[in-house]
Amino acid sequence: MTTGLRPGGPPQDPRHEEDRQLPRQERVGQGAPHVENRTRSAVITARAAASFEPVGRSVATARSFVRDTLQGWGFADIIDDAVVLTSELVTNAVVHAGTAADVLCLRSDDGVRIEVADHYPEREVPVQTSAVSMGSPDREGGRGLQLCAALAGHWGVEYTPTHKRVWFQLDLPERPVGTRAAGPALPAELLPLADGRVRVAVIQIDRNASVSAWNEDAEELFGYAADQVTGKPLTDLAAWPQTPGTGTGIAEALRLSRWEGSYGIRCADGRVSPVYASHLRVRDTAGEPSTVCLLVRDHERAVLQTPLRTGSADTATAQEGQAADPFEVFIGSPAPDDLDGLLQRTVERARDMLDGDAAFLLLATDDETELEVRASTGLPSARQRFARVPVEAGPGRYGSARMPAVHDDLSAVPGAVPLLSGTGMRSVVTVPLKVEGRLTGSLGVAAEAPTRYSNEEALRLQFAADRIALAVESARLGELERLRRGSLSFLVEASDLLAGTLDRDQTLALMAQMTIPTLATWCAVYTIADQASEPYLSYVLHEDEERIDGLKALLSKIPPPEPIPTPGARVWTQPAEAAHRAALRTSMRSLGLGEPPALSSGIGTTLATASAVGGETVVLPLVARNRVIGMLTLGKPTDEHFRQEILELAEDLSRRAALALDNARLYSERTAISQSLQRSLLPPELPMVEGVEVDVIYRAAGEGNEVGGDFYDLFPIRDGAYGFAIGDVCGTGPEAAAVTGLARHALRLLAREGFGGPAVLERLNSAILDEGARSRFLTLLYGELWPQEDGSAVLKVVCAGHPLPLRLRQDGTVEPAAEPQPLLGVMEDLELYEQTVTLDPGDVLLCVTDGVTERREGTRMLGDDGLADVLTTCTGLTAGAVAARIMRAVERFASDAPSDDMAILAMRVPGLLKD
């Protein structure tokens, strides 16, 4: 069944459609009607079809498909209407009906027919027996059909058991034979300027995209002779920039019936020459297709650029010789490559169209609660850029954002348009930018004179805004997608950098350096030690290093921001106010109106600092583990504001930075506690033993460890007697260090109680076993030392499972100075004995832990023999030199860092000094 409406006639009643005996529609493929039956009287000259999944992004994809198709067919007059209608109908299919949508474009001599089919045949078309009532344009239900009735020359709806198809036909404007689009007559001084003779390169491209013709102007412009390029693909010479908003490449553009745009040609001298080109697809008498390309220098594009063809409604106006509307010219011209360029051109054309003094364009945030200034012309500098105003509620609201509005005199309603406060503008017209019923922005034109605009100008501006809204939203979404991708990459890199350090000062520096200049011009980080502490200015950074000192001095003189845990950025006005006051005082002093001139030094620095912090300043709390540990302050120079996307990115960064900063704080605290406890396990200092040189070298394995499982000690027992020990607890780290502390303190206590060496070790063995599951076995060399009057020294040693001590004699011989006995912490009943050793003058006693003898390089190990070989080279050296040589030999034995604790205790008897 088919129902349809024609403009100017009553609606057809679908109940009587069968009585008219219209032919049934036959199908070719999925959802595709037979061409001859469907067009009835028109001949189809081209067709394009595509299917779209039932997801929201398919609407934008369908718009691009229709736009690219009609652009390729050369139907620029009807592209915008076709895109609007397709957008509404595809939205009904993929969003409201929830089915896939099939879009078919058919080209004929009369115009273009577009069909949108969905898979929800139960949906009904409202039957109308009276005049059509369009209702509210913001109402969702039936809006697509209302638009079809308003914009299309013909339209209708067809039902089958499996599909519902809505079609509309847009007719091309009728033009008398021989008419062409033309620009207005202009004075000579307003014509485009060309340097020298205008050269038009004519290049013909065959069906394989290869050059088949190359004229003399092409040789002059690009430096290639015709025989050098004939047969070569144009893609080898073209520097193609990818047309903004489409996926069209050079190969696709050459196959379109007509194309205009900019790209580059790689010249013979290696440079890229920007050109403006017009492509026309033709075929010869044999039916062979080719493309004729006309190219001029890019700054001479006016020679080839086609003016916009006016629609049928404007034909009379065009025939009367009146110039085309400047905003309409803008709509038809190639869009700038970036969003900012598109918005700036929009406000300039809007101002010219209504002969205003200023114009501005604001874009809505995602939740439509605020509008952000993105482009303006005729307003004071860029101080309004990225400023935000609320849409509905609150002071300074933008109350006229959702509907067209005309303000005859802003002095009667101050604050109606906050952007214009203090600018001298009196009258203003504002219109909304809407896409699919959603507010996406606001466009306004203002004048210094009151009562300048009427409803007629508002309707003209609204029509222009409707034409550009879709392009602006598309460019905005593209920019937002690029920004989000960049933000994700930025946050990933920031997380890696912050996770790579646990040093508090380095974390503060990284936090500031990552924000400058990506997010802000300057940054200050305040830290809070605890809940009772005031925020402390810990780090200041500016993109200009010469401004850091002045900025730090300024921030030090004002109270820090309040540590409020509320998430998000809040504006902090004190820095800008303080900078303004300082600049005012400095200027007055320089004029002799304030303090004596002697106090007016640093005028340039003060004014530069005031300019650096005179813009918007925001504070983001650094919250970690439900506590505010600081604030991240970001600032802009004078007259600048933050974009909402930048503030959201800064908020994400602040959360990561807060956690990294708190982790660094916790690590620093625990490291300080650990190091303090570890230092308590080592002897405070070695006592001076008269007649004996003693030196110790100690290395604990593991980063940040000062004490491990190895330990040493040397302490006085009683007059003339000293105890010494060197031991190794099984394992490394804090667990081994706990047994180390037990052993060292027990040795001192038991030795000073008068117990001999075997008794001291037996009682220590019992103490270790009493630790139960925390006990660890221990190798220990313990001895007592008595220096003698004849210059020798007597030692009594017990070697409980420890590497044997080595004795170096003056003649260079090395021998063990004790015998091995059972280690501690394994058996309860130990029978240990001590051995007496006498060190003659010049002898050395070397005691080491197994970290020295078990030093490895692959399958090689230093071992006892290797240690003895090194010791034989130490004859005549002091105790400190002996210990140092042993350590160097151990370190050089292997290239890897030591994996075990090491302790070296060297004692040497130098002998009596002669008079």
Side-chain angles (χ1 to χ4, degrees):
M1 178 184 298
T2 303
T3 63
L5 294 176
R6 287 181 59 90
Q12 299 173 354
D13 190 341
R15 294 174 295 181
H16 304 292
E17 190 67 26
E18 294 179 358
D19 297 336
R20 300 175 59 188
Q21 298 180 354
L22 292 177
R24 298 284 296 177
Q25 302 295 337
E26 299 179 4
R27 297 190 169 277
V28 179
Q30 181 179 359
H34 193 278
V35 173
E36 295 180 357
N37 288 340
R38 178 159 301 283
T39 58
R40 292 173 171 85
S41 61
V43 176
I44 299 301
T45 58
R47 61 182 293 153
S51 296
F52 303 94
E53 298 296 325
V55 293
R57 63 176 179 272
S58 294
V59 179
T61 309
R63 289 196 296 260
S64 298
F65 164 72
V66 172
R67 181 178 294 278
D68 291 348
T69 300
L70 299 189
Q71 184 72 42
W73 290 348
F75 294 161
D77 305 79
I78 59 175
I79 283 179
D80 291 337
D81 289 344
V83 167
V84 169
L85 294 177
T86 303
S87 177
E88 289 293 334
L89 298 179
V90 173
T91 300
N92 290 338
V94 302
V95 177
H96 301 306
T99 76
D102 302 322
V103 179
L104 174 66
C105 301
L106 302 174
R107 183 183 72 183
S108 66
D109 295 335
D110 297 330
V112 172
R113 177 182 177 121
I114 298 179
E115 303 176 356
V116 178
D118 64 42
H119 301 261
Y120 191 61
E122 291 81 10
R123 294 180 65 82
E124 298 180 355
V125 177
V127 178
Q128 302 180 20
T129 56
S130 59
V132 178
S133 174
M134 297 299 292
S136 172
D138 292 331
R139 183 169 59 89
E140 290 289 334
R143 187 173 59 189
L145 302 182
Q146 293 177 359
L147 286 174
C148 287
L151 300 178
H154 304 77
W155 71 279
V157 183
E158 300 174 359
Y159 286 95
T160 70
T162 58
H163 290 77
K164 173 174 70 68
R165 177 177 291 103
V166 181
W167 61 271
F168 61 89
Q169 181 167 329
L170 299 175
D171 299 329
L172 292 177
E174 295 181 0
R175 298 185 181 88
V177 176
T179 59
R180 297 291 185 269
L186 293 176
E189 60 270 18
L190 297 181
L191 295 176
L193 181 64
D195 52 343
R197 183 171 74 84
V198 176
R199 297 185 180 274
V200 180
V202 181
I203 304 172
Q204 193 157 3
I205 310 299
D206 61 21
R207 68 160 61 234
N208 299 318
S210 298
V211 177
S212 59
W214 184 273
N215 73 341
E216 293 181 359
D217 277 1
E219 295 182 11
E220 185 67 24
L221 287 175
F222 309 125
Y224 297 105
D227 57 350
Q228 291 180 282
V229 294
T230 301
K232 290 186 176 180
L234 181 64
T235 53
D236 292 349
L237 302 176
W240 192 257
Q242 199 73 6
T243 304
T246 72
T248 305
I250 178 64
E252 291 81 4
L254 291 173
R255 289 181 173 84
L256 297 176
S257 61
R258 183 180 295 277
W259 183 89
E260 287 185 19
S262 299
Y263 52 91
I265 294 292
R266 297 181 178 88
C267 299
D269 58 3
R271 62 185 177 84
V272 174
S273 176
V275 298
Y276 189 82
S278 176
H279 296 176
L280 178 65
R281 189 76 162 165
V282 298
R283 60 191 176 99
D284 58 18
T285 55
E288 184 68 13
S290 63
T291 303
V292 177
C293 304
L294 306 180
L295 293 83
V296 297
R297 295 183 181 92
D298 191 67
H299 63 274
E300 296 171 341
R301 61 168 50 193
V303 177
L304 296 184
Q305 190 167 354
T306 302
L308 178 72
R309 291 177 291 174
T310 59
S312 57
D314 300 327
T315 302
T317 303
Q319 291 177 346
E320 291 175 3
Q322 298 182 8
D325 189 304
F327 200 85
E328 288 297 296
V329 173
F330 160 70
I331 292 295
S333 63
D337 295 341
D338 61 320
L339 175 62
D340 290 336
L342 174 62
L343 299 182
Q344 190 61 36
R345 190 188 294 185
T346 299
V347 296
E348 291 171 358
R349 295 299 188 270
R351 179 193 61 183
D352 296 342
M353 183 178 73
L354 298 186
D355 193 22
D357 298 312
F360 53 89
L361 193 149
L362 303 90
L363 294 184
T365 56
D366 290 339
D367 56 3
E368 300 181 22
T369 60
E370 288 184 315
L371 290 169
E372 186 176 67
V373 180
R374 292 300 302 271
S376 64
T377 181
L379 296 179
S381 71
R383 67 182 176 86
Q384 307 290 356
R385 185 168 169 80
F386 299 123
R388 293 173 299 279
V389 292
V391 175
E392 300 292 356
R397 67 186 179 91
Y398 198 138
S400 58
R402 297 190 183 277
M403 296 293 291
V406 176
H407 296 278
D408 291 332
D409 193 347
L410 290 177
S411 62
V413 281
V417 184
L419 181 64
L420 301 180
S421 299
T423 61
M425 300 297 163
R426 296 285 298 276
S427 56
V428 61
V429 52
T430 62
V431 295
L433 275 68
K434 290 186 177 182
V435 175
E436 299 178 353
R438 181 173 59 87
L439 178 69
T440 61
S442 179
L443 176 63
V445 178
E448 295 179 354
T451 64
R452 182 74 171 273
Y453 301 112
S454 64
N455 289 339
E456 181 180 352
E457 281 82 3
L459 292 177
R460 291 182 62 199
L461 188 61
Q462 183 66 72
F463 176 76
D466 291 342
R467 299 291 297 273
I468 196 61
L470 194 61
V472 170
E473 181 66 3
S474 177
R476 188 189 74 86
L477 292 177
E479 180 194 67
L480 187 60
E481 179 64 22
R482 290 190 296 271
L483 181 61
R484 286 176 177 171
R485 290 182 180 179
S487 300
L488 182 59
S489 176
F490 172 78
L491 291 175
V492 169
E493 183 179 358
S495 299
D496 289 342
L497 290 173
L498 292 171
T501 179
L502 288 172
D503 181 81
R504 176 182 176 275
D505 293 337
Q506 189 173 1
T507 301
L508 288 172
L510 283 174
M511 189 188 313
Q513 291 167 5
M514 285 185 295
T515 61
I516 307 301
T518 305
L519 304 182
T521 304
W522 62 270
C523 167
V525 182
Y526 292 83
T527 57
I528 303 174
D530 52 59
Q531 297 293 345
S533 302
E534 290 292 326
Y536 174 74
L537 182 61
S538 298
Y539 201 91
V540 176
L541 186 65
H542 193 283
E543 64 179 5
D544 184 355
E545 294 183 356
E546 296 181 357
R547 302 284 176 264
I548 295 178
D549 292 338
L551 178 59
K552 186 181 299 183
L554 175 69
L555 295 177
S556 300
K557 296 177 182 178
I558 61 177
E562 291 293 328
I564 300 175
T566 306
R570 70 180 191 274
V571 177
W572 186 32
T573 59
Q574 280 82 350
E577 294 172 355
H580 176 73
R581 291 194 298 268
L584 181 61
R585 289 194 301 268
T586 301
S587 300
M588 293 180 64
R589 287 199 301 265
S590 66
L591 297 174
L593 302 177
E595 299 176 8
L599 300 178
S600 61
S601 59
I603 292 177
T605 301
T606 302
L607 296 179
T609 302
S611 175
V613 301
E616 188 175 40
T617 301
V618 296
V619 178
L620 297 104
L622 299 175
V623 181
R625 297 174 176 89
N626 298 322
R627 186 174 73 87
V628 180
I629 63 171
M631 284 87 69
L632 177 64
T633 304
L634 305 177
K636 287 281 190 179
T638 300
D639 299 339
E640 290 195 22
H641 296 265
F642 285 97
R643 295 184 59 177
Q644 185 63 34
E645 295 85 357
I646 295 297
L647 293 179
E648 293 172 358
L649 180 58
E651 185 177 358
D652 286 339
L653 176 63
S654 68
R655 287 194 291 267
R656 290 164 169 79
L659 188 59
L661 184 60
D662 200 47
N663 288 338
R665 177 187 63 83
L666 294 175
Y667 177 78
S668 300
E669 291 178 356
R670 281 156 177 74
T671 300
I673 294 172
S674 174
Q675 291 176 346
S676 177
L677 291 175
Q678 290 183 66
R679 283 191 291 268
S680 69
L681 301 178
L682 294 174
E685 60 183 8
L686 295 178
M688 296 296 295
V689 180
E690 186 177 356
V692 179
E693 297 176 359
V694 181
D695 206 338
V696 173
I697 295 179
Y698 183 82
R699 297 285 189 273
E703 183 180 356
N705 291 331
E706 295 190 17
V707 177
D710 292 4
F711 69 95
Y712 68 92
D713 202 0
L714 176 66
F715 55 91
I717 299 176
R718 49 190 174 273
D719 292 342
Y722 296 86
F724 67 90
I726 184 169
D728 184 2
V729 178
C730 174
T732 60
E735 295 82 1
V739 180
T740 296
L742 170 65
R744 195 176 71 81
H745 293 293
L747 286 176
R748 288 195 173 209
L749 179 63
L750 294 172
R752 288 171 177 172
E753 288 295 324
F755 293 100
V760 170
L761 268 60
E762 289 168 2
R763 285 166 173 75
L764 176 59
N765 180 64
S766 299
I768 293 175
L769 293 174
D770 289 343
E771 290 294 308
R774 296 183 300 177
S775 66
R776 291 171 175 260
F777 65 81
L778 166 68
T779 67
L780 179 65
L781 172 66
Y782 173 75
E784 295 179 356
L785 169 67
W786 286 274
Q788 303 298 310
E789 294 181 358
D790 60 359
S792 64
V794 176
L795 293 81
K796 293 184 178 181
V797 297
V798 181
C799 187
H802 198 76
L804 299 179
L806 298 180
R807 177 181 180 178
L808 172 64
R809 295 184 181 274
Q810 282 187 317
D811 59 3
T813 60
V814 175
E815 60 185 7
E819 296 178 354
Q821 300 183 58
L823 52 75
L824 308 182
V826 178
M827 299 178 293
E828 293 185 1
D829 298 327
L830 288 180
E831 295 182 1
L832 303 175
Y833 59 91
E834 62 184 9
Q835 297 174 272
T836 301
V837 180
T838 301
L839 296 181
D840 296 326
D843 290 353
V844 175
L845 184 71
L846 178 66
C847 308
V848 300
T849 58
D850 60 6
V852 174
T853 58
E854 295 180 1
R855 177 72 163 152
R856 295 179 180 274
E857 173 70 15
T859 59
R860 298 186 307 119
M861 186 173 71
L862 180 62
D864 297 332
D865 295 337
L867 179 62
D869 292 340
V870 177
L871 186 58
T872 58
T873 66
C874 298
T875 305
L877 299 180
T878 63
V882 171
R885 179 169 292 186
I886 298 298
M887 179 55 72
R888 282 198 304 272
V890 172
E891 291 175 344
R892 293 174 180 173
F893 187 80
S895 58
D896 295 338
S899 59
D900 195 4
D901 304 328
M902 292 187 294
I904 300 174
L905 173 62
M907 293 184 290
R908 178 176 179 269
V909 180
L912 294 175
L913 296 176
K914 296 182 180 180
D915 297 335

